[in-house]
Amino acid sequence: MITLVIAEDHQALIDGMKAFLKNESDIEIVGYANDGLELITLALQLKPDVVITDIRMPKCDGINATQTIKKELPNTKVIAFSMFDNDDAILQMKEAGASGYIMKNSSLQTVLDAVRAVSEGFTYFADETDEELDKPKNELFFSAREKEILTLIAEGKSSQEIADALFIEKSTVDSHRKNMSKKIKTIGKTDLTKYALERKYDYL
């Protein structure tokens, strides 16, 4: 389970992310803050796996909050969340220790992908002008569980057989299938089974 804290001074954005992420079986929002000082207090108390933080916030900005959190909780991953596609802000957040940077106008699926990516040690900087991306722009990110399911799909197993093999509910497998299908649409109308077969050995 990925524990998540969200810091954003616009409550409507927090509510939107909460509504979207509540059905994800591998992510739990454990707290949210409306200013930087509240974020630091919450993070030190809850020790989340991932923090999503706005850069411009009252009392303490996201850059200083990130520096403090990373100093005290080096294993907590931080994703910057901003209205502005600003190279200086991206650089400052990187230097503060952030593992990701996404725009507020990004899709909620992008937010989900970023959370899963940084939790597994990847970086996720959505700025297309950044030439230092650790993850190539055309590479699709799949979580460890999705990779397991893709491998089993490539072996011809049904959703129920996959659920039995991984000791999870069939509905969870179906949810992962749906999410993966959304991802592969970004590179063409490829059937999920065909996609899994083509990359049968990528995830072993």
Side-chain angles (χ1 to χ4, degrees):
M1 179 68 71
I2 302 168
T3 54
L4 175 66
V5 166
I6 301 170
E8 163 60 52
D9 58 349
H10 292 92
Q11 187 63 39
L13 284 175
I14 291 177
D15 292 341
M17 283 192 278
K18 286 170 63 179
F20 180 75
L21 296 174
K22 70 179 181 180
N23 295 320
E24 300 300 323
S25 60
D26 60 333
I27 296 174
E28 179 185 5
I29 299 175
V30 294
Y32 56 88
N34 297 123
D35 65 67
L37 290 181
E38 187 180 7
L39 167 61
I40 292 171
T41 300
L42 265 182
L44 297 182
Q45 175 187 344
L46 300 173
K47 298 178 174 60
D49 298 313
V50 179
V51 166
I52 296 177
T53 179
D54 191 2
I55 294 179
R56 298 184 179 180
M57 289 189 296
K59 299 183 181 179
C60 175
D61 65 34
I63 296 167
N64 288 321
T66 298
Q67 288 174 332
T68 301
I69 290 168
K70 292 299 293 184
K71 181 179 178 181
E72 300 296 327
L73 302 170
N75 292 327
T76 293
K77 309 299 183 183
V78 178
I79 299 171
F81 195 49
S82 178
M83 283 290 292
F84 305 100
D85 188 3
N86 184 299
D87 289 343
D88 289 338
I90 295 171
L91 180 59
Q92 288 180 66
M93 284 302 293
K94 280 185 174 181
E95 291 176 342
S99 298
Y101 186 105
I102 53 179
M103 301 291 292
K104 289 186 181 181
N105 61 2
S106 298
S107 69
L108 288 170
Q109 183 63 45
T110 296
V111 175
L112 177 60
D113 289 346
V115 170
R116 287 176 172 156
V118 301
S119 74
E120 294 199 6
F122 293 88
T123 59
Y124 197 105
F125 290 91
D127 175 23
E128 292 185 355
T129 66
D130 183 1
E131 296 178 356
E132 297 180 358
L133 281 173
D134 289 346
K135 188 163 70 69
K137 296 181 182 67
N138 294 327
E139 177 185 327
L140 293 175
F141 173 79
F142 293 104
S143 69
R145 177 64 84 190
E146 287 173 335
K147 290 175 184 177
E148 289 179 323
I149 291 173
L150 274 174
T151 300
L152 294 172
I153 289 173
E155 294 176 3
K157 294 188 182 299
S158 67
S159 290
Q160 186 60 62
E161 289 171 332
I162 293 171
D164 293 341
L166 299 178
F167 303 101
I168 57 178
E169 296 294 325
K170 178 178 177 294
S171 59
T172 301
V173 176
D174 291 336
S175 177
H176 281 301
R177 278 182 176 268
K178 182 178 178 181
N179 288 335
M180 288 187 288
S181 292
K182 287 180 182 178
K183 291 179 184 180
I184 68 172
K185 285 177 184 176
T186 63
I187 60 171
K189 297 179 179 179
T190 311
D191 176 78
L192 185 59
T193 301
K194 181 182 177 183
Y195 182 88
L197 284 168
E198 289 174 347
R199 289 154 182 80
K200 185 171 183 179
Y201 303 106
D202 287 0
Y203 306 121
L204 298 178

